[in-house]
Amino acid sequence: MEDIVLHGEGNFDLVAELDLFAQHFTVPLRTARHHQVLITDKTPANVLALAGLVLGPTEPGTAAVLAAAEVMCRTWMPLAYDVVVYCHDRYDQKAGGDRMREKVLGIQDESDTAIYEACRATGVPILELPTGLTVSERVQWTVKRVGDMGLIVV
């Protein structure tokens, strides 16, 4: 994915998306075993939703692999996630130049809808983060809600 996004080598393809999807299972699993709470910026459902938007529907095997990934999300996420804190904010490229987002800036509205629906379809409770908060306010809001759920002591 780094080669595609940062170095302009290649395009989004099924192999790249499947690798990214797998990472969103393995990395949190390794990290979570050492912490009481793990907050990530994406879930496997996020990756699945974006893959459905960026991959060509005629690529061989795409539909079957994405269908299998959807089953994996709906099965795994309720076991591994207590809650999804969902952020509807739009990314402003002028605000800091995150090169990882450049290729998908034009599909932010479509992505937001697809990602929200993919997360909702897993059955994991969703807390919708208010838009327009500073980073500090986002942290405070999230810690309060997660604490209210009894997931951490605040």
Side-chain angles (χ1 to χ4, degrees):
M1 196 57 66
E2 183 177 310
D3 288 342
I4 294 167
V5 175
L6 296 182
H7 305 295
E9 298 173 10
N11 295 308
F12 294 115
D13 62 13
L14 188 56
V15 172
E17 294 295 332
L18 189 56
D19 180 57
L20 187 60
F21 182 71
Q23 287 178 40
H24 281 80
F25 288 93
T26 60
V27 172
L29 280 173
R30 289 186 184 109
T31 305
R33 65 182 176 195
H34 300 293
H35 301 284
Q36 179 186 0
V37 173
L38 177 65
I39 297 175
T40 64
D41 68 336
K42 290 185 185 101
T43 71
N46 294 67
V47 177
L48 173 63
L50 282 173
L53 295 176
V54 300
L55 294 178
T58 59
E59 187 173 333
T62 298
V65 170
L66 293 181
E70 183 176 356
V71 171
M72 180 69 173
C73 275
R74 289 183 184 200
T75 304
W76 176 251
M77 285 187 54
L79 300 172
Y81 288 76
D82 294 304
V83 66
V84 169
V85 177
Y86 193 84
C87 177
H88 288 283
D89 284 345
R90 297 297 180 271
Y91 181 75
D92 178 4
Q93 183 67 15
K94 297 174 194 163
D98 181 349
R99 291 177 54 207
M100 295 299 278
R101 297 178 191 252
E102 286 178 359
K103 286 194 173 190
V104 294
L105 284 176
I107 60 169
Q108 287 189 79
D109 290 334
E110 188 178 4
S111 297
D112 182 54
T113 300
I115 293 168
Y116 186 84
E117 287 305 313
C119 289
R120 188 190 59 72
T122 67
V124 175
I126 296 177
L127 298 176
E128 294 189 46
L129 186 71
T131 58
L133 300 179
T134 66
V135 172
S136 178
E137 292 167 336
R138 288 175 187 213
V139 170
Q140 292 172 11
W141 187 94
T142 301
V143 168
K144 167 100 172 78
R145 275 34 177 218
V146 171
D148 289 349
M149 293 176 74
L151 300 173
I152 59 172
V153 178
V154 288

